[in-house]
Amino acid sequence: MTAYGSFGWALVLVSLGVYCSGRYTDSWSIRLGIAAAIVAATFSVQIDQVPLIGFVAAVQGEPSVAMLLISGGCAARSILPERVTQEDLSQLCACIFWLGLVMYPSALGVGPIDLYAVGYHPYAALGLLFLALLCVGFAATRLLAVWATLALLLHGHDAGESDNILDYLIDPIVLVYSWWHVGTHAWRRFRDARR
Amino acid sequence: MLRFISTTNRRVPAIAGIGVLLGLAFPPAFESATSYLAAPGYRADAAGTEADTVDMVGTSEAEPVWEERAIDPGGRAMVHSATLIELTDGGIRAFWYGGSREGARDVGIYTARLPPNEQQWGAAREIMNREKLSEELGRYIKKLGNPVGFLDAAGRVWVFFVSVSFGGWSGSAINAMVSRDGGATFGQVRRVVSSPMFNVSTLVRGRPIQMLDGSITLPVYHELLGKFAELLHLKPDGSVQRKKRLTRGRSHIQPALVTVDADTAHVFMRYAGEEAKRVHYVSTNDAGLKFTSPRHSNLPNPDSAIDVIRLTSSETLMVYNHSETGRHNLSLAISGRDPAEWTRIYDMERSETGFGQHFSYPSILRDSSGRIHIAYTYDRRYIKHVTFNETWLARIRRGPATEP
């Protein structure tokens, strides 16, 4: 696993620890202690001479930037709700939802084009650069700009195992989360509209 | 309007800042973008075409040569999926996987060396197992398989192989390791990421091809839901530069790439479908930018691996199972300029007990002296190595297809 992978997973685990423990206690020292214990256990406890993080990485090699932002965003919202809004997260999930809905089936052989292969193309990075600039300049959300910019920087510096920029943008785990997020959001809107 | 302009002006520094930051961070992307649109072409010697100028009939060796050897299975009950490379000193190195059974936790990747001008293979040596790979990659590994050897233009020995963390072979991912001393020692294993779905279901079996710019074209295939062939273009450092899908559907796996010239190549594939049980192929005339749709040749294929090599500028040699039903024989066939038309010239193996024996996963190599080497799984008990020369081949071509 690369340094990015180890650091990324540690960040995701800390964020989840802080977020989940926030439901049971307001004490910052306890919440950080729980998060630290989760990280320490995941990286040190071994089964069959493989640390627990090795089983996580066996499924999803490294977290995508989207996973870092969503887990970090959820943790940050529990601390500073005004800095990361629900709208920010919803827009990010909507982008992941649509990107994943198109890309994953095509990578599995559905349709004539493999959209994942486009991510190896250097022009994909240029397109994403344009998207990041567009988000920063004219679109509504900062999180989308951070998402595209971080993915570009990490890909440009070969931080992770993958040479495909799409692997830095999304992964199947955040895709499932985004489906759940978008689905529940749509259901709420539908329910409210019927009332 | 004024409010919009005011808001926009506030964002200009941010846009400029992020633009400068990203512009500085990505000169490699801009640089490689320009070279991406043109394919570099296939190296002529990569597929044995350096012998194009050699007449096939008895120029290098006057006497026909046919030699058979067994490669030491390293004490393992099951061995499978051998691959051959010629080393810079003229020796031959084989890679295969072996263990108590296919997919077992004790399966390792093995290698052995046949020194130049010697008749006996050296002892088998394990170069990778699941514990070592788990440690190097920092993740759980369940099983290993399908090693593919390759000697690049810089004299480095590459070994690509698949590993599975969960599930069956369709959950495979490709790994690569490089040796700078002819396969004696290997460096750190690199994970080749080629799929967005947890990087699973890309497998390797066919021999890579060296490109003119130093990059490598690696034939791979996908097995989860769909079964289709792909090409991965790797930079000299092993990073993925490009991916090209060759087929669609659920029928084509284990592509074997053979080049004709710098721009022309054919990719022959194992057929895993139900209808036309033939060896299928696709072709390119622009060094892999575009390929034809799949067509079938006149050779049968019982859903088993094949391998091909260029003999001359106009002829290709294939080793394959001449059957639609099983792997109980192994044959040689030659094709001219039409990749659809093949002539079976020789049966290397034919099971004495009908369908009881299996001869599979052949790997073919033409060495610098012009001799042809074929390694294949013999009943999963050992790897058999056959060597013959052009004189033998010319003699065989004059007669009917027979057993040795």
Side-chain angles (χ1 to χ4, degrees), chain A residues 70-115:
Chain A
I70 288 174
S71 57
C74 289
R77 263 184 65 72
S78 71
I79 309 163
L80 301 164
E82 72 280 3
R83 301 295 293 176
V84 182
T85 65
Q86 186 62 39
E87 191 188 1
D88 282 342
L89 284 176
S90 293
Q91 286 183 359
L92 179 61
C93 284
C95 286
I96 294 166
F97 177 89
W98 288 112
L99 180 59
L101 198 65
V102 175
M103 185 185 80
Y104 284 95
S106 78
L108 291 173
V110 178
I113 306 168
D114 180 7
L115 287 173

Side-chain angles (χ1 to χ4, degrees), chain A residues 1 120 129 152 161 163, chain B residues 22 26 105 137 139 193 240:
Chain A
M1 207 185 316
Y120 292 113
L129 171 65
L152 274 165
E161 289 177 335
D163 305 301
Chain B
L22 294 174
F26 293 102
R105 291 160 68 92
L137 293 178
R139 70 195 64 186
V193 181
V240 182

Side-chain angles (χ1 to χ4, degrees), chain B residues 208-245:
Chain B
I209 294 290
Q210 186 80 59
M211 306 298 281
L212 287 170
D213 66 348
S215 62
I216 298 164
T217 294
L218 177 67
V220 299
Y221 59 102
H222 181 100
E223 272 203 351
L224 183 67
L225 300 179
K227 288 184 176 178
F228 45 85
E230 298 178 319
L231 294 178
L232 282 182
H233 293 265
L234 307 177
K235 292 179 191 170
D237 66 355
S239 58
V240 182
Q241 188 176 27
R242 172 170 22 184
K243 190 169 103 165
K244 178 80 179 172
R245 185 172 295 169

